[in-house]
Amino acid sequence: MSEENENDEVQTFEGLGICDQLVVACDKLGWKNPSKIQLEAIPHALEGKDLIGLAQTGSGKTGAFALPILQALLDSPQAFFACVMSPTRELAIQIAEQFEALGSEIGVKCAVLVGGIDMQQQAINLAKRPHIIVCTPGRLMDHLTNTKGFSLRTLKYLVLDEADRLLNEEFEKSLDEILSVIPRERRTYLFSATMTKKVRKLQRACLRNPVKIEAASKYSTVDTLKQQYRFVPAKYKDCYLVYILTEMTGCTSMVFTRTADSTRFLAVTLRKLGIRAIPISGQMSQPKRLGALNMFKAGECNTLICTDVASRGLDIPSVDMVINYDIPTNSKDYIHRVGRTARAGRSGVAISLVNQYELEWYLQIEKLIGKKLPEYPAQEEEVLLLNERVTEAKKLANNEIKEKGGGKKRRAGGDDGEEDIGKYISFKNGKSAKKSKRK
C-alpha cells in the first residue's frame, strides 16, 4: 500500500521536487501531471546533471527543461541565467511564452532574440537584464558581436532544443562560436527528436557525463494518432483534399505542401470554395507568419496550409487533422508533421495523399515507422463530383495571384487572408500574443 502511495506522489510535479510557486503555475496552465519526459528528466536536472533527452514531438519537453531552470533561478537569482536555442523563430517565441507563464508567480523576465525583428528593440530588452534568453543561433551571435555591454559570461544553463536541426549547416558556424564564448562551468540540456551522428558529436563536445533519457522509440508516432493514406492520381489530388476537408468540416487541419508557392495557391483556391484557409511559409515575413499562426490559434481560420516551417516544435493546440498534400522526400519529416496532432494524450488523424510520383517516398515512411497504414475510405465517383468546382476555383486563384504580381511584390498574395493577418499580430517587445499556454 505504501509503495502505491509513493508512486502516486511521484506522478505529481510536487512529488518530483518542484517548489510550490512553480506547481501553482503548472496548475494554471492545466498541467495536472508530469509527462513521461518530465517524469524522467526533472529529478536528474534538479540534482544538477547534464541531460540529453530524446522525445517525440508533443511530449512536453519544454516543461522538462524550463521547470528545473526556474527552480534553480529562484535559489540564486541573476540576469542572463539561462539561454535556450531553437532552430526556428516561432519555436523560440513559444518557448519564451512558456517560461513567462511558468515563471509568472516569481517575476521571470525573458528576452527573445530572433531574426526578422528589429535588433535595436532587442538590444533595449537586453539592457533590462532578463533572466532567460530564448534565441536562434544566428541572431544571438549578432548581438554577442554587435550589442555593446552584452555577454553571456555569467551563464549558468544552456539548452539546445531540436538539436538535430540546430546542427544543420546554416547554424553550425554560429553554434561553434557561441559555445566558444560561454562559460564551460554550466549545466547543459540537449533535446532532440532523433539521435544523429552530429547530435552524438555535440553531446561529446559540450555535455559532461550526461544522463540520457529516451521517452520514445527512435522513430515513433503516438498511439492516439490514427494514420491513413490514399493513393490518388496527381490530377485529382486537389479534389481529394477538398473532399476530405469538407467531410471533416469543423475540424482544425494542417495541410503540408512542399513549396511556399503551393501554400499560397492552395489557400486562395480553398477560400474560393468557402474553406477558411490561411498559408504559412518561410517566404512570409516574420510578422505575417506569426499573424497567420495567431489567426489559426484563435479559430478565425481552421485550415493552415504550411511548408515544413510549421512541422517542428510549434505547440498549436487542438489540431484535429494533418493532411500530407505533398509526401515529404525525407521520411523523418513525416514524423514531425503528423506530430502536430494527437498531442498531450489527445487523439488525432493524419492522412497522406500519395500520387504516382510519390510512391517511393511513401514506402520509405512505412518502412521508417514499421507499419503498413490502412487506406482512407472514399468513393472516387463521389470525390470527382467536386472536379468542376475545384477546377474553376483553381483558375480563379491562378488569375488572382497573377493580377497581384505572382507573389513577387507581396509575400503571400490574394484572397489567402494576408489582408486580415495584421490585426491578429500582437507584438510587444518582439513577442507574439499569448494565445496558447499548453505543454
Side-chain angles (χ1 to χ4, degrees):
M1 189 71 174
S2 63
E3 199 174 308
E4 274 179 32
N5 290 341
E6 192 177 303
N7 286 340
D8 287 344
E9 191 188 353
V10 174
Q11 298 302 315
T12 66
F13 287 104
E14 203 171 6
L16 291 177
I18 296 298
C19 66
D20 291 345
Q21 297 103 309
L22 295 176
V23 170
V24 169
C26 288
D27 199 51
K28 283 184 179 174
L29 285 177
W31 297 12
K32 302 300 180 193
N33 303 100
S35 67
K36 188 178 178 186
I37 189 75
Q38 291 165 355
L39 277 171
E40 297 193 27
I42 288 172
H44 292 298
L46 293 177
E47 288 171 9
K49 304 274 180 63
D50 281 7
L51 299 179
I52 175 159
L54 299 180
Q56 59 205 11
T57 187
S59 59
K61 62 181 185 294
T62 305
F65 59 75
L67 288 167
I69 288 172
L70 290 171
Q71 187 139 318
L73 177 64
L74 259 178
D75 292 338
S76 40
Q78 66 161 69
F80 307 119
F81 188 74
C83 173
V84 183
M85 280 192 264
S86 96
T88 68
R89 301 165 182 183
E90 289 82 5
L91 179 54
I93 290 164
Q94 183 179 288
I95 290 168
E97 286 177 357
Q98 289 217 329
F99 262 101
E100 288 186 336
L102 287 168
S104 60
E105 301 291 310
I106 58 173
V108 164
K109 289 189 293 183
C110 288
V112 179
L113 308 180
V114 296
I117 293 172
D118 180 48
M119 255 188 91
Q120 192 57 44
Q121 181 58 55
Q122 290 174 353
I124 291 166
N125 293 340
L126 288 174
K128 294 174 184 173
R129 298 180 60 74
H131 305 106
I132 313 288
I133 289 172
V134 191
C135 59
T136 49
R139 181 51 64 98
L140 176 62
M141 204 56 226
D142 289 345
H143 281 288
L144 285 170
T145 308
N146 302 311
T147 300
K148 195 175 177 183
F150 170 58
S151 84
L152 291 177
R153 284 192 298 270
T154 60
L155 190 76
K156 299 292 185 255
Y157 283 82
L158 174 70
V159 181
L160 303 171
D161 196 17
E162 303 280 4
D164 47 342
R165 280 185 75 195
L166 279 174
L167 296 169
N168 290 349
E169 281 177 27
E170 60 180 308
F171 299 123
E172 210 162 4
K173 185 171 182 286
S174 297
L175 202 53
D176 286 345
E177 289 173 349
I178 291 160
L179 290 171
S180 70
V181 298
I182 61 174
R184 291 194 174 191
E185 287 294 317
R186 62 169 195 268
R187 295 274 68 83
T188 307
Y189 303 154
L190 188 153
F191 284 86
S192 181
T194 56
M195 183 53 123
T196 62
K197 285 178 185 171
K198 282 189 172 182
V199 173
R200 279 198 189 88
K201 187 178 172 187
L202 181 65
Q203 176 193 338
R204 287 194 296 271
C206 74
L207 280 80
R208 292 184 303 178
N209 303 318
V211 177
K212 185 178 176 186
I213 293 141
E214 200 158 354
S217 57
K218 193 174 180 189
Y219 301 112
S220 68
T221 51
V222 293
D223 297 334
T224 51
L225 175 65
K226 181 183 179 184
Q227 299 173 82
Q228 298 171 307
Y229 79 96
R230 179 73 191 202
F231 190 64
V232 301
K235 62 180 177 178
Y236 295 134
K237 191 181 262 196
D238 295 316
C239 288
Y240 275 90
L241 175 65
V242 173
Y243 177 83
I244 292 167
L245 289 172
T246 307
E247 285 287 296
M248 303 289 277
T249 300
C251 288
T252 51
S253 306
M254 293 180 74
V255 178
F256 282 95
T257 70
R258 198 166 292 123
T259 67
D261 286 342
S262 295
T263 64
R264 186 171 63 247
F265 179 71
L266 267 184
V268 179
T269 301
L270 291 172
R271 287 171 75 93
K272 297 293 180 196
L273 292 161
I275 294 168
R276 293 177 299 152
I278 195 161
I280 183 169
S281 73
Q283 270 188 17
M284 292 166 70
S285 69
Q286 185 63 18
K288 295 274 168 59
R289 277 157 66 174
L290 289 171
L293 271 180
N294 283 343
M295 284 184 79
F296 186 63
K297 288 179 179 182
E300 291 298 315
C301 290
N302 64 352
T303 304
L304 190 68
I305 316 291
C306 41
T307 55
D308 282 308
V309 76
S311 73
R312 298 285 288 266
L314 297 186
D315 185 14
I316 301 169
S318 305
V319 175
D320 303 309
M321 177 168 61
V322 165
I323 299 175
N324 287 302
Y325 176 84
D326 289 324
I327 301 302
T329 53
N330 182 341
S331 44
K332 289 174 195 171
D333 289 335
Y334 173 85
I335 305 288
H336 301 299
R337 288 181 179 188
V338 302
R340 299 301 93 215
T341 185
R343 294 170 75 82
R346 295 187 291 269
S347 59
V349 177
I351 301 166
S352 297
L353 298 175
V354 189
N355 69 24
Q356 61 268 41
Y357 311 111
E358 299 171 312
L359 185 58
E360 190 181 331
W361 297 328
Y362 175 73
L363 292 173
Q364 286 172 0
I365 289 166
E366 286 197 332
K367 186 178 175 188
L368 182 77
I369 61 177
K371 60 173 97 170
K372 288 249 175 233
L373 299 183
E375 189 171 17
Y376 174 81
Q379 295 295 321
E380 186 161 290
E381 309 82 64
E382 201 179 330
V383 175
L384 295 188
L385 290 174
L386 294 164
N387 194 34
E388 196 175 323
R389 282 181 63 218
V390 170
T391 303
E392 181 61 23
K394 285 165 74 174
K395 277 183 192 167
L396 291 170
N398 208 28
N399 291 340
E400 188 170 298
I401 288 169
K402 275 184 183 171
E403 280 170 22
K404 294 185 185 267
K408 284 174 189 170
K409 289 179 187 173
R410 291 161 50 84
R411 294 277 186 171
D415 204 11
D416 58 8
E418 184 169 325
E419 294 91 338
D420 305 327
I421 288 174
K423 62 185 177 183
Y424 288 93
I425 298 170
S426 310
F427 272 107
K428 187 179 179 186
N429 299 332
K431 292 172 288 190
S432 71
K434 296 170 186 171
K435 293 279 184 189
S436 165
K437 291 179 182 175
R438 286 179 183 265
K439 284 193 263 199

